[in-house]
């Protein structure tokens, strides 16, 4: 078995190979102890929440984890159904629990399951907390002399009420009921299923809403290669002109990441959604606060922030850094290019359903398509760009090591004929070139994969730059 090691947001492993009942129950008791050690002053009592998504046997693993934590002396509330991961983060804070343990593998392929640990404050725990959990693993499963109580709870009602308080849902509902707005929600067989319908109180056309632990042979990740059916459905609807406005929404497996389509079925990543949401919250709703972006975020974000007199804080890639910033600073919005977007006036957690409601609110209030809104923002900031990312598998970790050594000992001075004018090493190596484009080279910390990101004036320049990066990596 691979050792238990927490990544950017939790521990994940292949079911039956690495992720087993024995390992999960042991880890759950240790996580509960660490949550108690760190968040006792934030909580009332000794309660741990346990939730789960729709993956293979997720409810069975959750029940086993809950019983193990109960045997370790904690009071446990076990979810009575699947729900989005942010619903459990919300519940941890709303119920003043020590924290929540969520059985999910997020966007990973079907053979994976995992454990996310949420703190009493309503977000992912910091790396120092997961390091404390890992340090206890040699001690094994903990059992107390006196067990705690075990009961069930509804994860949806309080969470949905909290989201409705933040969004004006009536105009959205009216636009749908009148036929002005058509929504297509691809829940990717995951925990977002029924979510929008619950929030809006109206039937929403869901794609892939059945429970399929194999995820249709793909992975529940909001990327174009996994949502071809949604793209075609929206394009067909556009041809039939069935509504004035159409929006496609895509949710990952545990509903903490989002992507969208415009009314013509064109894919919109969070690189496009974050600026639209910034404009909606700051310009149209009058909210304020810091904008937090990761190093891979679009240059349009700081340009718009400057126009709205908002400060920008840049972090390494990983929502845990954004969530941590929210705990110490008033934040308007924080987001990452992979689809995680959160809000300082909510909980320090990425939340795809809240983002979806804000997207719909922006469309309904403006009466415009998402791509039209984005084009207006580009014009407003006088900044037009294209973006893409590729993940390049490497032969092995030795190749990864040689590439890292080359970057450290043979600095890159020129890329596609453009001089390198700056290199930021906050997370990986981000090269700013003479014509304004940038290339980010990052390595996976756990597998031989090279991640390449680029933003440039047009898609041709983006592809040219990424091709250069691939050739550079393959030359070593």
């Amino acid at each position: 078995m691979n050792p238990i090691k927490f990544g950017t947001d939790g521990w994940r492993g292949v079911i039956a190979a690495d992720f087993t009942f024995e390992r999960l129950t042991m880890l759950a008791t240790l996580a509960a102890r660490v949550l108690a050690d760190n968040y006792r002053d934030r909580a009332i009592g000794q309660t741990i929440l346990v939730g789960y998504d729709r993956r293979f046997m997720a409810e069975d693993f959750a029940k086993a984890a809950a019983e193990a934590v109960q045997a370790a002396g904690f009071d446990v509330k076990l979810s009575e159904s699947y729900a989005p991961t942010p619903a459990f983060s919300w519940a941890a804070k709303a119920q003043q629990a020590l924290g929540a343990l969520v059985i999910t593998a997020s966007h990973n392929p079907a053979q994976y399951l995992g454990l996310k640990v949420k703190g009493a404050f309503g977000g992912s725990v910091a790396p120092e907390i997961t390091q404390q959990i890992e340090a206890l693993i040699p001690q094994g499963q903990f059992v107390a002399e006196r067990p705690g109580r075990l009961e069930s709870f509804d994860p949806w009602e309080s969470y949905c009420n909290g989201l409705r308080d933040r969004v004006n849902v009536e105009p959205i509902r009216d636009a749908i009921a009148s036929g002005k707005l058509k929504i297509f929600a691809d829940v990717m067989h995951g925990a977002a299923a029924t979510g929008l319908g619950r929030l809006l109180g109206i039937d929403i056309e869901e794609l892939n809403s059945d429970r399929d632990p194999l995820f249709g042979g793909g992975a529940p990740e909001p990327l174009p290669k996994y949502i071809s059916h949604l793209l075609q459905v929206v394009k067909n609807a556009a041809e039939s002109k069935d509504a004035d406005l159409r929006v496609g929404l895509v949710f990952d497996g545990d509903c903490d990441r989002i992507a969208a389509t415009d009314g013509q079925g064109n894919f919109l990543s969070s690189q496009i959604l974050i600026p639209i949401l910034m404009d909606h919250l700051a310009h149209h709703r009058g909210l304020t606060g810091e904008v937090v972006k990761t190093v891979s975020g679009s240059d349009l974000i700081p340009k718009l922030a400057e126009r709205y007199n908002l400060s920008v804080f840049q972090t390494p890639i990983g929502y845990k850094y954004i969530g941590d910033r929210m705990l110490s600073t008033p934040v308007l919005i924080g987001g990452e290019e992979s689809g995680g977007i959160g809000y300082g006036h909510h909980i320090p957690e990425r939340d795809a359903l809240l983002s979806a409601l804000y997207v719909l609110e922006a469309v309904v209030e403006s009466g415009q398509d998402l791509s039209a809104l984005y084009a207006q923002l580009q014009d407003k900031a006088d900044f037009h760009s294209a973006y893409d990312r590729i993940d390049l598998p490497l032969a092995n970790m030795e190749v990864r090591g040689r590439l890292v050594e080359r970057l450290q000992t043979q600095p890159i001075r020129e890329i596609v004929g453009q001089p390198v004018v700056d290199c930021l090493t906050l997370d990986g190596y981000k090269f700013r070139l003479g014509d304004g484009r940038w290339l980010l080279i990052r390595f996976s910390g756990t597998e031989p994969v090279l991640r390449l990101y680029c933003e440039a004036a047009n898609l041709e320049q983006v592809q040219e730059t990424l091709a250069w990066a691939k050739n550079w990596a393959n030359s070593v």
Side-chain angles (χ1 to χ4, degrees), residues 145-208:
E145 292 183 3
R146 179 179 298 176
R149 297 188 304 272
L150 176 61
E151 58 183 292
S152 64
F153 79 102
D154 174 11
W156 283 97
E157 184 176 4
S158 174
Y159 171 65
C160 288
N161 289 338
L163 266 57
R164 289 192 204 97
D165 287 343
R166 287 156 174 75
V167 182
N168 189 6
V169 299
E170 289 296 334
I172 302 173
R173 184 184 299 136
D174 292 345
I176 297 170
S178 68
K180 180 181 179 181
L181 172 65
K182 182 75 172 179
I183 300 172
F184 305 88
D186 189 344
V187 298
M188 305 194 85
H189 308 288
T194 74
L196 281 178
R198 292 173 187 260
L199 288 164
L200 297 173
I202 193 169
D203 289 338
I204 300 297
E205 182 172 340
E206 286 190 349
L207 285 71
N208 299 312

Side-chain angles (χ1 to χ4, degrees), residues 210-426:
D210 61 309
R211 184 181 185 182
D212 176 9
L214 297 179
F215 303 109
E221 187 171 10
L223 294 175
K225 62 183 177 180
Y226 296 128
I227 60 168
S228 58
H229 180 52
L230 170 67
L231 299 178
Q232 190 59 53
V233 166
V234 179
K235 288 176 182 176
N236 292 342
E239 292 175 359
S240 66
K241 299 181 180 179
D242 63 342
D244 295 336
L245 297 167
R246 288 169 299 277
V247 177
L249 297 165
V250 194
F251 305 91
D252 78 329
D254 70 334
C255 193
D256 64 1
R257 295 211 270 167
I258 187 173
T261 78
D262 66 9
Q264 303 300 313
N266 298 305
F267 179 78
L268 307 177
S269 73
S270 57
Q271 296 280 43
I272 293 173
L273 296 182
I274 291 171
I276 291 173
L277 292 165
M278 281 177 58
D279 176 74
H280 177 64
L281 296 174
H283 184 60
H284 297 281
R285 297 198 60 177
L287 300 179
T288 189
E290 187 177 77
V291 175
V292 186
K293 68 179 286 291
T294 63
V295 68
S296 60
S298 170
D299 285 345
L300 180 59
I301 295 172
K303 291 183 180 297
L304 280 178
E306 183 178 0
R307 292 187 63 87
Y308 302 143
N309 198 29
L310 302 172
S311 60
V312 177
F313 185 80
Q314 186 164 244
T315 72
I317 293 174
Y319 196 84
K320 61 185 177 183
Y321 301 106
I322 299 172
D324 186 58
R325 183 68 176 177
M326 288 181 175
L327 296 176
S328 61
T329 304
V331 170
L332 173 67
I333 185 172
E336 52 185 354
E337 57 84 28
S338 60
I341 307 172
Y343 310 89
H345 55 274
H346 183 39
I347 51 176
E349 176 75 287
R350 51 192 174 189
D351 192 326
L353 278 174
L354 181 55
S355 293
L357 290 178
Y358 280 141
V359 166
L360 295 173
E361 188 178 60
V363 169
V364 171
E365 289 186 2
S366 66
Q368 297 190 69
D369 184 72
L370 285 172
S371 284
L373 289 175
Y374 183 65
Q376 291 173 10
L377 294 178
Q378 289 181 303
D379 291 340
K380 181 185 292 188
D382 191 24
F383 179 79
H384 297 77
S385 69
Y387 166 85
D388 200 5
R389 163 191 165 178
I390 58 175
D391 289 352
L392 181 66
L394 303 175
N396 49 52
M397 295 299 280
E398 291 182 6
V399 173
R400 178 190 185 280
R402 291 200 297 270
L403 288 172
V404 171
E405 182 181 7
R406 174 172 288 192
L407 285 166
Q408 294 173 343
T409 61
Q410 302 178 40
I412 297 173
R413 306 296 185 189
E414 183 179 289
I415 297 174
V416 294
Q418 290 289 324
V420 172
V421 298
D422 181 56
C423 180
L424 179 67
T425 56
L426 177 65

Side-chain angles (χ1 to χ4, degrees), residues 37-103:
D37 290 343
N38 287 274
Y39 302 116
R40 186 175 289 110
D41 59 336
R42 291 175 175 257
I44 295 178
Q46 290 279 305
T47 301
I48 299 288
L49 308 182
V50 178
Y52 54 92
D53 64 9
R54 300 174 88 193
R55 284 177 178 267
F56 178 67
M57 293 185 67
E59 62 269 54
D60 300 289
F61 281 105
K63 185 174 184 291
E67 291 173 345
V69 173
Q70 177 194 18
F74 294 90
D75 295 332
V76 181
K77 290 186 178 181
L78 172 63
S79 178
E80 62 185 30
S81 72
Y82 73 86
T85 288
F88 298 114
S89 294
W90 169 272
K93 184 175 181 180
Q95 298 187 31
Q96 294 182 283
L98 290 168
L101 307 178
V102 188
I103 311 305

